[in-house]
């Protein structure tokens, strides 16, 4: 059984994330979308809210599971018996950080490999932070996130 983990903050999930999830789910038997519990980082949505949003959006995929995790990603990978981590690369600016993390992960858990998927061009500029910023100024975010979560984002940024 080929299992992979796609980790992230997903605060909120964007079309860029969903594109990587859909494409990587075809490469493996089982994909865990893993939402990082990070109390040090100020987030717009709670962990439970992010897991719920992703679970609803991905309910149509039989081989995708959504869970939260705290601590080291490689420990979560061991727990799930996953040998692959999936990460999306938008631009060369992502590369240095991603390379460092993937090498660190492989140093502390030699059985893990990171698969990098290049983001589809239409989402190359997209990030959760940019979505939050545009929403906070009342901009149209319908090109960036699924329609079902737009009201949740708008309600939260207006607070
Ligand atoms: O969506 P993000 O914020 O870019 O995701 C970053 C993430 C979750 C992949 C990364 O912060 C992570 O794996 N955190 C867990 C702690 C860990 O294992 N760090 C890697 C060793 S330095």
């Amino acid at each position: 059984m080929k299992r992979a983990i796609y980790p992230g903050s997903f605060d909120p999930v964007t079309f860029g994330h969903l594109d990587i999830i859909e494409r990587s789910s075809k490469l493996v038997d089982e994909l865990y979308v893993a939402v990082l519990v990070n109390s040090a980082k100020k987030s717009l949505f709670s962990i439970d809210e992010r897991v719920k949003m992703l679970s609803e959006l991905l309910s149509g995929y039989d081989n995708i599971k959504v869970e939260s995790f705290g601590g080291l990603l490689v420990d979560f990978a061991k727990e799930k018996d996953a040998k692959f981590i999936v990460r999306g690369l938008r631009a060369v600016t992502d590369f240095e950080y991603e390379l460092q993390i993937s090498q660190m992960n492989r140093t502390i858990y030699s059985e893990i490999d990171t698969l990098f998927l290049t983001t589809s061009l239409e989402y190359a500029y997209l990030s959760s932070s940019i979505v939050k910023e545009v929403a906070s100024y009342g901009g149209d975010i319908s090109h960036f996130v699924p329609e079902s979560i737009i009201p949740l984002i708008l309600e939260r940024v207006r607070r």
Side-chain angles (χ1 to χ4, degrees):
M1 184 91 153
K2 257 190 237 162
R3 276 194 204 94
I5 315 255
Y6 179 50
S9 304
F10 306 107
D11 186 46
V13 61
T14 68
F15 282 139
H17 295 129
L18 292 170
D19 169 56
I20 297 288
I21 291 170
E22 188 177 6
R23 285 159 57 204
S24 58
S25 72
K26 292 181 190 146
L27 302 175
V28 293
D29 300 308
E30 203 164 61
L31 179 73
Y32 279 89
V33 177
V35 186
L36 174 69
V37 178
N38 183 356
S39 49
K41 207 168 160 183
K42 205 176 162 293
S43 56
L44 193 62
F45 293 102
S46 71
I47 283 293
D48 290 346
E49 287 170 329
R50 282 178 266 163
V51 168
K52 186 166 177 273
M53 267 186 243
L54 279 158
S55 303
E56 285 173 4
L57 290 164
L58 300 169
S59 61
Y61 296 86
D62 290 341
N63 70 334
I64 301 179
K65 293 181 175 165
V66 182
E67 287 193 19
S68 61
F69 79 103
L72 285 177
L73 178 57
V74 291
D75 288 339
F76 183 73
K78 281 179 200 167
E79 186 190 311
K80 299 299 177 193
D81 194 22
K83 297 287 168 20
F84 304 100
I85 292 168
V86 172
R87 293 289 285 170
L89 285 179
R90 287 168 299 191
V92 75
T93 41
D94 282 339
F95 183 71
E96 205 170 310
Y97 172 69
E98 294 297 338
L99 180 70
Q100 185 184 21
I101 290 198
S102 77
Q103 288 173 335
M104 173 57 82
N105 284 335
R106 205 167 146 68
T107 303
I108 53 184
Y109 181 36
S110 61
E111 287 178 43
I112 204 84
D113 266 306
T114 304
L115 305 176
F116 292 109
L117 296 191
T118 51
T119 306
S120 295
L121 264 186
E122 59 203 296
Y123 306 127
Y125 61 89
L126 194 50
S127 71
S128 298
S129 317
I130 279 188
V131 170
K132 283 184 272 196
E133 176 146 354
V134 173
S136 71
Y137 290 112
D140 177 9
I141 54 169
S142 60
H143 295 295
F144 315 138
V145 298
E147 211 181 315
S148 61
I149 68 167
I150 293 178
L152 304 173
I153 298 170
L154 294 182
E155 181 268 326
R156 198 53 60 90
V157 295
R158 279 193 200 117
R159 269 191 199 179

